Structure formats: structure tokens, C-alpha cells
Amino acid sequence: MSFSRWWTEATAALGDLVPLPLAAVLLLLTAALAALAWYHFPAWVPRRLPRLPRFRRPRRKRRRRRRPEADVSVAEVPRPRDGGSDAPAGAGLCLADRLAAEGRFAEAVRERLRDMVRRLVAVGVVEQRPGMTVTELADEAARNRPPVDPPLRAAGTIFSELWYAHHPASAAHDRRMRELADELDRVLAGHPEEPR
């Protein structure tokens, strides 16, 4: 028996049991339900399948390894390195100077930016909020005190180039960040022009 003959006989037998329009509606409904289940697939699958109990050996406690500092989120920028909120203003600079002396210029740039943000928070130019990007920080600072915009944007650009675009860091980047931090200090002190 060929496939076409079998198909003709099968549809004729189905047509005798169920009217053809009803069979077509049921087929479309089944296809629609299958499509919805496929679309919402993870939602209807249980997150954790039940497990049968079995004897397990007790696990040894593993030591947590510290993650390398190369993975940086912008949310970390406003926070002091030790997690305390009342770190002295010069603590970040000492660490940045030490990192720069070790040749770790990208990390020194990050610490200098953190120190700049701590100073902005301390004088009330910006409000410390976790998850702020460098751009959002510069926008808020520019709204609250427009003269801080140029040094902060330039510092944010250097930070983004080193940490997000993965450009190699150099002593020139650290030197420029130091200049921008000094410029920000002058602006916050009310002396935007550098004394000649």
C-alpha cells in the first residue's frame, strides 16, 4: 500500500468519525497550545526536579578564592576599597600611588576615580547609589555643579577605555588622572583656574 492511498483512507476514516471542520479546529488548537508551551518553556518546567534520596559522602569545605580584581563593575566605583563608608579621603590616593609605583596603572586609575567620587559624595555634589555608571555619575554631578563636568567626564573616559575597552594602561594615564583629580579639587574648593 502506498503512502498516498494510506493517507486518503486514514483521512476518510477520520472524516467518518469526526466532522472535518471540527478536526481542523482541534488540530489548530493543538498547534496553538504547542506554540504557547514552546514560547513559555522555562516557566512551566519545575526549577528543581525531585531527587531520590541516596547516600552521599559528606562534602569537604572548600576555601573561597578571592576573585581577581580585573572584573570591575561601575557600581564598585563609589565605594571605598575596604567597604567602609568613612574611609579617609587620602586613603585612596595612598593606594593609587602604591599601585602606580608597582606598575599597576589600570588599578591606580580606578582608585583615583574612586577617590574623586568619594570627594563628590562627601561635599554633597552626588548621592551615593549602587549601580551608577560613570556616565550617570558625571551627568548627575554636572546637573548639581556644572564646573565639575569636564574633569569628571575626562576621568570617566580614561576609566572606561582601560576597564571596558581593555586598552593597555600606562603611566601617562595615571599622570592624567592625577591632573584631573587636582583639577576637581580646585573646582570643589572654588578655584577653577590653576594658579600660574
Side-chain angles (χ1 to χ4, degrees):
M1 177 186 294
S2 68
F3 177 76
S4 62
R5 184 173 175 190
W6 173 85
W7 177 255
T8 305
E9 289 178 2
T11 52
L14 182 64
D16 290 341
L17 294 173
V18 179
L20 192 58
L22 180 62
V25 167
L26 289 175
L27 188 62
L28 286 174
L29 186 63
T30 304
L33 287 175
L36 280 172
W38 182 267
Y39 182 75
H40 295 287
F41 171 65
W44 56 268
V45 173
R47 288 191 182 276
R48 192 171 180 161
L49 297 175
R51 292 186 177 186
L52 297 174
R54 63 178 193 208
F55 295 106
R56 296 185 196 177
R57 289 184 299 185
R59 286 186 180 179
R60 286 183 3 194
K61 286 188 176 180
R62 292 185 345 196
R63 287 187 183 143
R64 283 188 148 184
R65 298 168 90 186
R66 289 183 63 186
R67 291 189 334 182
E69 293 191 30
D71 185 16
V72 175
S73 73
V74 181
E76 294 176 14
V77 171
R79 296 191 188 107
R81 210 169 139 61
D82 60 354
S85 59
D86 52 351
L93 290 178
C94 295
L95 178 61
D97 291 338
R98 191 176 31 190
L99 290 168
E102 293 173 4
R104 297 164 57 184
F105 298 113
E107 293 165 346
V109 164
R110 181 185 63 202
E111 289 305 320
R112 291 192 197 286
L113 181 64
R114 283 179 173 168
D115 189 60
M116 292 168 78
V117 172
R118 277 194 292 268
R119 279 181 266 165
L120 291 170
V121 169
V123 297
V125 174
V126 294
E127 186 180 310
Q128 183 173 354
R129 287 194 315 268
M132 281 181 81
T133 65
V134 176
T135 307
E136 290 170 344
L137 177 81
D139 288 343
E140 183 177 338
R143 271 193 310 273
N144 296 338
R145 193 174 294 182
V148 301
D149 189 39
L152 195 59
R153 283 214 193 272
T157 301
I158 293 171
F159 174 81
S160 297
E161 284 176 2
L162 299 182
W163 284 98
Y164 299 126
H166 302 290
H167 292 174
S170 67
H173 291 113
D174 181 57
R175 189 170 37 255
R176 180 67 181 138
M177 282 296 284
R178 199 177 301 210
E179 293 168 0
L180 293 169
D182 291 342
E183 186 180 340
L184 182 69
D185 283 342
R186 282 191 302 275
V187 168
L188 291 176
H191 309 293
E193 292 298 322
E194 183 172 357
R196 300 195 186 267

